[in-house]
Amino acid sequence: MLKDFKPVLNILLRFVIVYVVLLLVYQYYLNSFRFQGLDPFSRIITEQVRDVQNYLGYPTQLYNDVKGEQVYFYVRNFYPTRMVEGCNAISVMILFVAFIIAFYKGSKTFIFILAGLVLLYIMNLLRIVGLNIVMTDHKEYGKIFHDFVFPAVIYGTVVLLWLVWIKFFALKNENS
């Protein structure tokens, strides 16, 4: 009977192992920058958000709060939002990678992961820019966009990537 469930158990085991290992590595990374303010990856995103907003006509400056481990965006004479570690989408990317590796299909797995991570990175960058613009121009919609619209966009992108992976790569030869 266990033989019938072996493929499913292998997928689940791969997912759990990859997810836990990546989560532990990420936590180690965060702990190594604990008293230095926002971690370097989040800071890079913050600086890129600033650059995009400046390009779009939303002059932006950054104010570092080392003790609070956050960076405030200063846009048009006020602070619409702040960047904290949770805004960098690493946890979403870890979930994405674990799922794709769970359905491992050779070298194309890593190519798809790389392409997916680039897309998720860009989507997250645009999500933060979008939130800053909403909070600058239409603060009354800020909570809805922060809590519902933009999470739906980033998680929707992950689900869409998963569906593409399963339909066109992971199960392609099995359905033939």
Side-chain angles (χ1 to χ4, degrees):
M1 184 169 134
L2 190 59
K3 186 174 143 185
D4 294 336
F5 294 109
K6 189 176 181 187
V8 173
L9 292 174
N10 282 338
I11 289 169
L12 286 173
L13 187 61
R14 259 194 310 257
F15 175 83
V16 169
I17 289 171
V18 170
Y19 184 76
V20 168
V21 166
L22 289 177
L23 217 54
L24 290 172
V25 168
Y26 182 53
Q27 191 58 53
Y28 176 78
Y29 164 80
L30 289 176
N31 289 342
S32 65
F33 296 101
R34 187 173 190 119
F35 301 108
Q36 298 175 22
L38 198 59
D39 66 279
F41 184 78
S42 298
R43 179 162 292 288
I44 289 169
I45 293 172
T46 304
E47 292 167 357
Q48 290 173 341
V49 166
R50 177 199 58 207
D51 294 344
V52 170
Q53 288 177 192
N54 285 336
Y55 177 78
L56 293 175
Y58 288 83
T60 303
Q61 295 175 328
L62 304 175
Y63 289 97
N64 193 19
D65 176 8
V66 174
K67 189 175 181 181
E69 296 181 8
Q70 58 193 348
V71 172
Y72 287 90
F73 293 100
Y74 185 71
V75 184
R76 294 188 179 162
N77 299 319
F78 76 103
Y79 299 95
T81 63
R82 63 191 170 97
M83 176 79 173
V84 296
E85 172 272 324
C87 300
N88 66 18
I90 293 286
S91 58
V92 174
M93 293 176 189
I94 288 171
L95 190 63
F96 166 74
V97 169
F99 182 86
I100 299 302
I101 289 179
F103 291 90
Y104 180 80
K105 292 294 177 183
S107 62
K108 63 184 169 184
T109 304
F110 300 106
I111 295 168
F112 190 84
I113 286 172
L114 182 61
L117 290 175
V118 168
L119 179 62
L120 288 172
Y121 185 90
I122 293 167
M123 292 297 293
N124 188 55
L125 189 74
L126 295 176
R127 176 185 73 89
I128 298 167
V129 169
L131 182 60
N132 279 330
I133 290 172
V134 167
M135 292 299 286
T136 299
D137 292 344
H138 303 284
K139 189 171 178 138
E140 66 273 16
Y141 299 113
K143 183 163 177 52
I144 292 169
F145 274 79
H146 180 271
D147 294 351
F148 301 107
V149 175
F150 289 126
V153 168
I154 196 80
Y155 285 108
T157 302
V158 170
V159 170
L160 185 62
L161 286 169
W162 286 346
L163 292 173
V164 167
W165 176 250
I166 293 297
K167 175 134 178 88
F168 297 107
F169 297 97
L171 300 179
K172 187 175 182 180
N173 295 335
E174 295 176 19
N175 291 334
S176 300

